[in-house]
Amino acid sequence: MNSYQKALEERKKQHLLRTLPLPPEGFDFYSNDYLGFAQSKSLQSEIEKANTSIKKNGSTGSRLLSGNSSFALEVEQQIADFHQTEAATVYPSGYTANIGLISCLATKETTLVCDELIHASLIDGARLGVSRKVRFRHNSIESLEEKLQSIAGQKLVIVESVYSMDGDICPLEQVAELCTAYNAMLIVDEAHAMGVYGENGEGLVQELNLHNRVLARIVTYGKGPGIHGAAVVGPLWLKEYQVNFSRSLIFSTAPNDHQFASISAMYTYLPFASADRNKLHKIVAYFIQKRKDSKFQWVSSPSQIQSLIVPGNEQVIKLSTALRQGGINALPIRKPSVAEGSERIRFCIHAYNTNEEIDLLFRTLENYLID
Ligand SMILES: Cc1ncc(COP(=O)(O)O)c(C=O)c1O
């Protein structure tokens, strides 16, 4: 047995083996399709219309070589306008956006000041850079201030607006205040807020009117927006900087026109989806009421991500199996994705979930956890 196979055996023993499951039957409390856009016929027909004028199957090269087009630049301007900023740079996914952006900003003149719960893609970006890195306690303004006070030189604070595992929300206004006070730049990953928050689904930064206080936002399209891809939005100089230093942008074939067309159609569609957003916020409120009435250990979250703490990898897998048998699909999140002891079932709530499905979910939990 080689060392790679031994590592797999070790994972199996610890109930940590990752697999590629096919979608199970049952009510969806696990996907990131918060607004139902991934299955929306109206969005699909907008995307098909946008795709009819496309002439090339592939982009043929990096954006810096043969892969650029006036269409790509037009779509990026559409994105920048929507997000009330100067420029946007599209990446194939949020992961590639984060590793490209953060690694090129993590220079030796910079200290990254990161919330301890930022996503793996931001952490990987930080690891690829050469800057000093410090972490502050999750969502703690006191801890952030303490770190900022102790750092001399250029500082870059990295947070998420809605945290992917806990579903809680960054105190963005206070974070922005501190960044101004300590002359730090601020980067906000809006992966779980994009499409969901803001009058037209712009994300939390614009909902709070903080877009001029933030250096860059990462908006991703595979969750609320129901498609695929991502963009970094911010000032023009930052786009120029990425074109020169972001390795996942420079050394990779550009997204093809189909991806740009889908992104463009999604942005055109987004402002007309306030009914879906309202439905989502209403059903989330129903879930939160049920959560507050229940006796279990929940992470306090106001968003569409709600987590039930069930310590232990084996225990959390057993509960997710029981839920699946009861018709509820929800994912067990295990160590090392979350810290030991904070293993959880993560429930993602969607505009298309119903009160009856949530009632069933809570009945199934009670039957399992109280028996
Ligand atoms: C906070 C956050 N940022 C970035 C990403 C990566 O985005 P994508 O799935 O588009 O690669 C994710 C995905 O899970 C995420 O949760």
Side-chain angles (χ1 to χ4, degrees):
M1 204 187 271
N2 61 41
S3 67
Y4 311 119
Q5 291 164 319
K6 277 189 198 147
L8 282 173
E9 284 308 310
E10 199 46 42
R11 284 226 149 158
K12 273 182 211 160
K13 263 194 237 149
Q14 296 176 353
H15 306 280
L16 284 172
L17 192 71
R18 291 174 163 140
T19 58
L20 298 175
L22 288 169
E25 290 292 309
F27 297 119
D28 178 5
F29 285 95
Y30 79 128
S31 83
N32 293 324
D33 187 18
Y34 304 128
L35 297 162
F37 278 18
Q39 28 190 324
S40 155
K41 293 285 170 224
S42 337
L43 177 57
Q44 190 180 7
S45 83
E46 292 303 318
I47 291 174
E48 277 165 9
K49 264 191 258 162
N51 268 292
T52 50
S53 52
I54 282 169
K55 295 187 183 67
K56 263 179 162 173
N57 298 323
S59 71
T60 80
S62 157
R63 287 291 293 285
L64 284 81
L65 302 172
S66 59
N68 196 28
S69 65
S70 51
F71 181 52
L73 293 170
E74 270 163 38
V75 174
E76 287 182 330
Q77 195 53 54
Q78 178 191 8
I79 299 170
D81 293 344
F82 185 91
H83 290 289
Q84 294 175 282
T85 187
E86 286 177 355
T89 311
V90 166
Y91 287 79
S93 69
Y95 185 86
T96 51
N98 279 342
I99 57 167
L101 177 72
I102 305 301
S103 64
C104 72
L105 293 173
T107 56
K108 61 180 187 326
E109 296 82 12
T110 307
T111 303
L112 302 185
V113 188
C114 307
D115 185 289
E116 64 185 344
L117 291 191
I118 53 171
H119 189 255
S121 54
L122 295 161
I123 295 173
D124 290 357
R127 281 187 184 146
L128 287 169
V130 295
S131 65
R132 221 161 66 83
K133 293 134 201 150
V134 298
R135 297 197 307 174
F136 63 95
R137 276 201 316 283
H138 177 54
N139 274 349
S140 164
I141 290 298
E142 295 72 32
S143 173
L144 173 59
E145 181 157 26
E146 205 181 286
K147 302 290 175 193
L148 288 174
Q149 266 167 356
S150 66
I151 301 163
Q154 190 160 277
K155 300 173 270 290
L156 196 64
V157 173
I158 306 179
V159 297
E160 290 173 32
S161 46
V162 176
Y163 280 86
S164 60
M165 288 299 153
D166 284 15
D168 54 355
I169 287 180
C170 175
L172 282 172
E173 280 153 322
Q174 290 162 284
V175 169
E177 282 298 315
L178 274 189
C179 287
T180 307
Y182 289 91
N183 197 20
M185 292 176 267
L186 176 58
I187 294 206
V188 183
D189 180 330
E190 292 252 55
H192 296 274
M194 176 64 202
V196 172
Y197 290 96
E199 199 186 337
N200 297 307
E202 302 94 334
L204 257 182
V205 169
Q206 271 166 278
E207 177 167 307
L208 298 170
N209 203 24
L210 292 173
H211 41 287
N212 293 326
R213 319 259 317 257
V214 166
L215 169 64
R217 287 164 273 163
I218 300 97
V219 286
T220 75
Y221 305 138
K223 304 180 197 297
I227 52 167
H228 190 238
V232 173
V233 299
L236 206 50
W237 71 259
L238 185 64
K239 180 169 180 142
E240 191 179 7
Y241 185 77
Q242 289 171 86
V243 169
N244 280 276
F245 298 104
S246 169
R247 295 173 69 84
S248 64
L249 180 73
I250 300 167
F251 296 107
S252 184
T253 300
N256 63 9
D257 284 352
H258 293 88
Q259 187 163 9
F260 279 104
S262 301
I263 293 170
S264 176
M266 179 278 294
Y267 270 104
T268 309
Y269 183 77
L270 212 45
F272 299 100
S274 42
D276 298 310
R277 273 186 289 281
N278 291 340
K279 242 166 120 184
L280 175 62
H281 296 309
K282 227 168 128 190
I283 194 83
V284 167
Y286 185 74
F287 192 105
I288 290 174
Q289 194 48 56
K290 299 280 293 191
R291 178 198 87 194
K292 285 184 175 160
D293 294 342
S294 83
K295 301 176 191 66
F296 315 126
Q297 192 191 347
W298 292 90
V299 176
S300 173
S301 151
S303 79
Q304 73 279 12
I305 300 169
Q306 297 284 326
S307 287
L308 173 68
I309 302 292
V310 184
N313 283 335
E314 206 177 337
Q315 285 75 355
V316 82
I317 290 171
K318 277 191 187 149
L319 175 53
S320 91
T321 308
L323 283 163
R324 199 165 55 247
Q325 284 160 354
I328 302 290
N329 288 320
L331 290 182
I333 311 285
R334 296 166 288 174
K335 184 189 90 169
S337 297
V338 289
E340 184 162 9
S342 76
E343 293 86 356
R344 77 249 339 249
I345 302 281
R346 187 174 66 151
F347 296 98
C348 294
I349 304 160
H350 312 92
Y352 49 84
N353 287 134
T354 62
N355 291 4
E356 291 69 34
E357 289 168 16
I358 291 174
D359 292 343
L360 172 68
L361 184 159
F362 276 86
R363 272 202 311 279
T364 315
L365 279 181
E366 275 157 24
N367 287 341
Y368 182 87
L369 291 168
I370 295 177
D371 282 355

